Amino acid sequence: MKAVLRRACVLAALLCGGVLCAQQEESQDQDIPLFNKKEPSAEQKREAIEARRKATGEYLDERIQSAVEGIEKRVGDGENAVPAAVWRGAKGFWIFDQWQAGHLITTEVCVGVGAARDARGWGNAVFYRAFDLGRGLKAGTRQARRIMLFAMTDKGRQWMDLSRWNVTEMRKQGAHILVGPRKSLPAGFDITRADVWVYDDSGDELPAGEPYPGEGTVLDNPWASQALYGLTEPPQTSKLLKESVIGSLPLPDLFREALTKAGR
């Protein structure tokens, strides 16, 4: 899994910087005078475009497949399973694969996937990024983990529409970001007591219902969403979340089906 996440992070940085930047590169080449520059042939240009297209397709497939795997691991009767009531009651959902290199005390920028839920069910898959999300680094180690966030209230759901939100900032504003309950819920348990429930692979020993001690910043990633749906320009994340399902596309459908099954 570490190797997969490492590749995902490298490709995530590529996407965030604009994996669909052929036109920008061409424009820059025209603006900057270069001497003795050999113009690539038409065949070389086609090969470069095809290589970018292939890398993007592999990246998107890897991200969705990993998200589905993470969902399936938290379904069922296991000790760390997310209760079905949380799956059914969530208004929004994010899942992040996070790979960390502790030697430099830095975090790779990794991309997550999310979707919002309304009376129609789960909607379009949307890509996100996260910086330093979680409980911090351990120097001298390499870590890989998943972090899942469930928006249970309208307040938490609204964060999905933002281009950026920070865990600490929201907590200071009175938001309840809590460690999620696991396996089963006691009678009368109010799943909306948290604006966001957090399920962190590195925090399964934390008491359910306690404030989540992690930090971090979540941002949308319209460039990856653009590639996922083959759009001509980066979409507005809030609009894409609310729109009717764009279908039928294999990867978004796979993600939506995994979320739907989790709540049954």
Side-chain angles (χ1 to χ4, degrees):
M1 178 177 175
K2 291 183 180 179
V4 171
L5 297 183
R6 192 176 300 113
R7 291 197 304 274
C9 291
V10 171
L11 286 168
L14 184 61
L15 273 174
C16 294
V19 80
L20 307 175
C21 62
Q23 294 179 346
Q24 292 179 357
E25 291 173 355
E26 183 177 351
S27 174
Q28 290 172 357
D29 289 344
Q30 294 171 352
D31 294 339
I32 301 174
L34 296 175
F35 299 98
N36 299 322
K37 178 185 176 184
K38 183 179 179 180
E39 181 70 19
S41 67
E43 180 62 25
Q44 288 174 323
K45 289 181 179 180
R46 282 194 295 270
E47 290 177 354
I49 292 173
E50 176 60 24
R52 285 194 293 268
R53 186 200 64 78
K54 183 179 179 181
T56 301
E58 291 175 348
Y59 166 78
L60 295 172
D61 182 75
E62 185 176 88
R63 298 307 313 129
I64 296 293
Q65 294 288 353
S66 180
V68 169
E69 176 186 295
I71 291 170
E72 292 175 344
K73 285 186 175 180
R74 288 282 187 170
V75 174
D77 300 323
E79 290 298 321
N80 295 319
V82 177
V86 173
W87 288 108
R88 291 194 296 266
K91 297 176 181 288
F93 172 79
W94 300 261
I95 179 168
F96 293 93
D97 279 323
Q98 186 180 54
W99 178 78
Q100 301 176 330
H103 293 291
L104 300 177
I105 315 300
T106 59
T107 304
E108 297 287 342
V109 179
C110 293
V111 179
V113 190
R117 182 175 173 274
D118 58 21
R120 299 169 295 181
W122 289 101
N124 293 310
V126 173
F127 277 92
Y128 291 89
R129 300 164 287 166
F131 292 87
D132 300 321
L133 186 65
R135 303 168 62 201
L137 298 167
K138 296 179 181 178
T141 66
R142 290 182 179 272
Q143 306 169 53
R145 68 186 187 214
R146 287 192 178 94
I147 300 177
M148 299 166 59
L149 310 176
F150 290 79
M152 306 305 298
T153 64
D154 290 337
K155 178 191 292 186
R157 163 62 185 85
Q158 289 171 1
W159 301 346
M160 301 196 77
D161 294 339
L162 302 176
S163 59
R164 174 196 178 280
W165 65 273
N166 179 269
V167 173
T168 301
E169 292 173 0
M170 294 304 181
R171 192 180 289 129
K172 288 179 178 179
Q173 295 175 22
H176 299 287
I177 303 173
L178 310 178
V179 177
R182 297 178 287 274
K183 191 174 181 179
S184 60
L185 299 177
F189 187 89
D190 181 12
I191 60 174
T192 63
R193 61 182 288 192
D195 295 302
V196 168
W197 291 117
V198 181
Y199 292 84
D200 184 338
D201 283 355
S202 71
D204 283 333
E205 81 287 355
L206 298 173
E210 293 295 314
Y212 177 64
E215 308 294 339
T217 301
V218 175
L219 305 93
D220 67 349
N221 190 342
W223 302 278
S225 297
Q226 176 188 0
L228 179 64
Y229 293 102
L231 303 175
T232 57
E233 60 184 21
Q236 184 177 350
T237 296
S238 59
K239 183 178 180 181
L240 188 56
L241 287 168
K242 296 181 177 71
E243 285 181 346
S244 298
V245 170
I246 300 175
S248 174
L249 297 173
L251 290 178
D253 286 352
L254 183 65
F255 183 65
R256 185 168 52 256
E257 288 168 5
L259 286 173
T260 301
K261 288 179 182 178
R264 291 175 181 169

